[in-house]
Each structure stands twice: as structure tokens, then as C-alpha cells.
Amino acid sequence: GTLTNFKTIQSSVARLKALEKLVGDEQLRAGHTKKELSGIDKDIEKLLFNFEGIRNMEKLPGVVFVIDTIKESIAVHEANRLGIPVVAVVDTNCDPGPIDYLVPGNDDSIRAIKLYASSVAEACFEGARQRDENITARDRAGAGEKVVAAVAEAAQAATKPAPAFPGAGPEVIVKRPRGYFAR
């Protein structure tokens, strides 16, 4: 329910941030009893447990990456319902129907899962780095240089292969199936 209940989750994340601000400010802490502060600490701990990974996510992701579509069928269903593209590792026992971009592979091997997850994470970081470089390069260029840079960028983009998932936003959720990394 993370994707379909995103607005509700955002209100809980806003509450978490407000409680953290309250705990960090000594003047605000002075107005509360020890018991109230203990309750606030417990609330913060609970909210951090539930929302730590998505507390800085301000909008829905551009793509959802799933390893095991059988165990994470709810995430796939939510993404399809919201029109978010799904990239998934699909084994022989999976239904490829609801998946937008298939990655044929073994979703049971821990080593394979680590390889898939690390490759996707590296690609996301590299894409974010390139996006940031393009933004700073455009900011530095003058009016005439902007045109030259745009033409050069278009020529360079024409020689590169198409992106793996066109239209994808910068935010990507890397969803790991429960229990695979527990030791």
C-alpha cells in the first residue's frame, strides 16, 4: 500500500519530521514532561522503523524495480494501477503479463539478486550524477554557448543507445523480497 496510500504516508512522514524537530529543540522540550518525551521518543522510533527508507521521497517513483514478482505481486499491482512502469526479474514460474520491462533471470539465487540490485542501484546513481552534471553545465554556459551545448548534446545523445526505460523519473524504488538478505 505504499504507492496507493502515498498521501497518507506523507502526512505520517511530516509528523515524524515535526517530532524530530521537537526533540532537537531544547526550548520545545522544556514544555513537556519526562513521560511525554518518552512517548514522543517511542513514536519517533516507530515512525522511523516504518518510514526511514522513504522519508525523503517527495513524489511517486518513475519506475519500480522488483526481484520476485510472485512475492511482491501487491507492489506490481499497485504500480500498474498508478501507471508506473515495472522492471522485474522474471523467472520461469512468473507471469510476465503485468510487467512492462522484463529481465529474464533467476530470482531465487542470492548472488543473482545481489548482482541485479547492485547493477540497478549503480545505474540510478550514474543517471543522477549525469543529470546533475548536465544541469550545472547548462547553468555555466552563456546564451550562445547554450545553443552550441544543446546541439552537441543532441548529437551525442543520437549516438548513445536508448535508455532502458524511456520516460522514467529520477526516483526508483529497489524492492528486495523479504527474507533473501536475512542471515
Side-chain angles (χ1 to χ4, degrees):
T2 302
L3 299 175
T4 53
N5 296 321
F6 189 70
K7 289 183 181 179
T8 306
I9 289 172
Q10 287 298 68
S11 66
S12 296
V13 169
R15 182 170 178 261
L16 169 65
K17 290 178 181 179
L19 290 175
E20 286 179 334
K21 183 179 178 182
L22 183 133
V23 169
D25 190 1
E26 290 299 324
Q27 291 178 345
L28 293 175
R29 284 181 70 108
H32 294 283
T33 65
K34 192 173 184 181
K35 186 174 183 178
E36 289 174 336
L37 290 174
S38 175
I40 290 172
D41 287 339
K42 287 180 184 177
D43 287 346
I44 288 174
E45 187 177 318
K46 180 182 173 187
L47 290 169
L48 280 174
F49 178 79
N50 291 321
F51 303 119
E52 178 66 30
I54 60 171
R55 70 189 297 184
N56 296 324
M57 193 167 87
E58 296 174 359
K59 61 181 182 177
L60 288 171
V63 155
V64 175
F65 176 70
V66 180
I67 294 288
D68 191 343
T69 58
I70 293 174
K71 287 187 180 181
E72 303 300 337
S73 61
I74 295 172
V76 172
H77 178 70
E78 283 186 26
N80 286 330
R81 186 173 177 185
L82 295 171
I84 300 171
V86 178
V87 178
V89 176
V90 180
D91 207 346
T92 56
N93 61 347
C94 299
D95 177 22
I99 310 303
D100 297 311
Y101 300 96
L102 301 169
V103 178
N106 186 2
D107 62 8
D108 299 321
S109 168
I110 292 175
R111 286 180 18 186
I113 292 169
K114 286 181 181 179
L115 176 68
Y116 298 137
S118 65
S119 298
V120 168
E122 286 175 19
C124 292
F125 289 131
E126 178 65 21
R129 185 188 64 74
Q130 287 180 359
R131 181 192 67 220
D132 292 343
E133 284 179 1
N134 288 340
I135 290 171
T136 57
R138 287 185 198 128
D139 291 343
R140 281 186 258 134
E145 295 172 344
K146 284 183 180 181
V147 174
V148 173
V151 171
E153 186 177 323
Q156 189 178 22
T159 61
K160 290 184 179 177
F165 7 90
E171 292 81 9
V172 177
I173 295 177
V174 178
K175 180 87 175 169
R176 296 180 297 188
R178 290 188 180 122
Y180 277 118
F181 295 107
R183 293 189 185 227

